[in-house]
């Protein structure tokens, strides 16, 4: 592998030490392919054998996420942790758990407050895991409910200057516009809000609103489409570390191999482009990583 390439990164990945390969093996495979930096994001409670709607389970999930990042750092990879409760958990409590909106609201706000505590203690760098909205069709009142939770998360992040990873529906420009409007109301630090699984069509408007789009490398043709907008995004695997779904998304080590190949095989992108997305933009979001 070319030593002249900038550090290669994965902006959004999960690891499961309970039923997956776990953080140490992930780190070793990632490092072998030239990976240098990875963002480890909380899973769902039930992915770890924990209980949805239980704050103690949330705490255990956060601890597992933080410990996973620590283990990866031990292996010579720079890793940071993002902690929060996925919107799927809130939706499950509403739709299948018999919880009222007010009870779910209190639980989700407490989970964000707990994430803030972890960030203040230096255990994590951001809120997410991801917070946001369901990516499937839901009634408008449910969408608005999740928007209210988003605003709570944005305000919490602003108060401590933290980043936020968002799980959203993929409705292109309309999705990006709605997030930008909320961020402007709150006044979060530029590029501290990351649109996880962003679509290439949303890149330009996201940047106009100082929101960072994170492009999934595993969706066919989307990276090639993204580069037409210039190096104004970051890339992610969204690895779920689930042996029952081995092909659901690409793993982090495949992501960095693909990045290398985009430079070396045919020059789809050049080293400067790679430097921008894997160093400049990462440092813009997380502070000086390298």
């Amino acid at each position: 592998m070319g030593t002249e390439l900038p550090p290669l990164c994965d902006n959004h990945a999960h690891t499961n030490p309970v039923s997956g390969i776990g953080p140490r093996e992930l780190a070793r495979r990632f490092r072998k392919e030239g990976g240098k930096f990875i963002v480890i994001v909380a899973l769902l409670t039930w992915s770890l054998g924990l209980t949805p709607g239980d704050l103690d389970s949330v705490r255990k999930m956060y601890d597992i996420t933080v410990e996973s990042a620590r283990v990866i750092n031990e292996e010579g990879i720079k890793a940071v942790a993002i902690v929060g409760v996925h919107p799927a958990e809130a939706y499950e409590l509403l739709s299948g758990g018999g919880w009222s909106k007010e009870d779910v609201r209190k639980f989700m706000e407490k989970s964000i407050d707990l994430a803030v505590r972890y960030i203040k203690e230096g255990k994590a760098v951001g809120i997410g895991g991801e917070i946001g909205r369901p990516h499937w069709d839901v009634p408008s009142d449910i969408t608005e409910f999740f928007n209210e939770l988003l605003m709570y998360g944005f305000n919490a992040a602003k108060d401590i200057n933290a980043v936020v990873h968002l799980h959203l529906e993929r409705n292109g420009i309309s999705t990006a516009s709605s997030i930008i409007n909320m961020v402007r109301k709150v006044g979060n630090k530029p590029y501290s809000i990351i649109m996880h699984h962003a679509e290439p069509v949303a890149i330009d408007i996201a940047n106009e609103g100082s929101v960072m789009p994170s492009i999934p490398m595993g969706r066919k043709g989307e990276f090639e489409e993204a580069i037409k907008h210039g190096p104004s995004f970051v890339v992610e695997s969204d690895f779920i570390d689930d042996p029952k779904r081995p092909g659901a998304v690409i793993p982090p080590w495949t992501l960095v191999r693909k990045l290398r190949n985009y430079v070396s095989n045919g020059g789809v992108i050049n080293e400067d482009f790679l430097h921008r997305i894997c160093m400049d933009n990462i440092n813009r979001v997380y502070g000086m990583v390298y």
Side-chain angles (χ1 to χ4, degrees), residues 75-113:
E75 291 293 324
I77 301 296
K78 175 66 176 176
V80 295
I82 303 284
V83 292
V85 172
H86 197 287
E89 182 154 338
Y91 186 78
E92 177 64 24
L93 296 172
L94 280 173
S95 60
W99 288 41
S100 69
K101 280 185 181 178
E102 193 54 36
D103 285 341
V104 174
R105 184 193 309 277
K106 289 177 182 176
F107 167 70
M108 292 298 284
E109 288 179 352
K110 286 179 181 178
S111 75
I112 291 171
D113 294 344

Side-chain angles (χ1 to χ4, degrees), residues 23-33 75 77:
R24 198 170 299 280
E25 181 62 23
L26 182 154
R28 290 172 177 172
R29 296 184 191 184
F30 189 58
R31 186 184 64 224
K32 184 178 179 182
E33 291 294 339
E75 291 293 324
I77 301 296

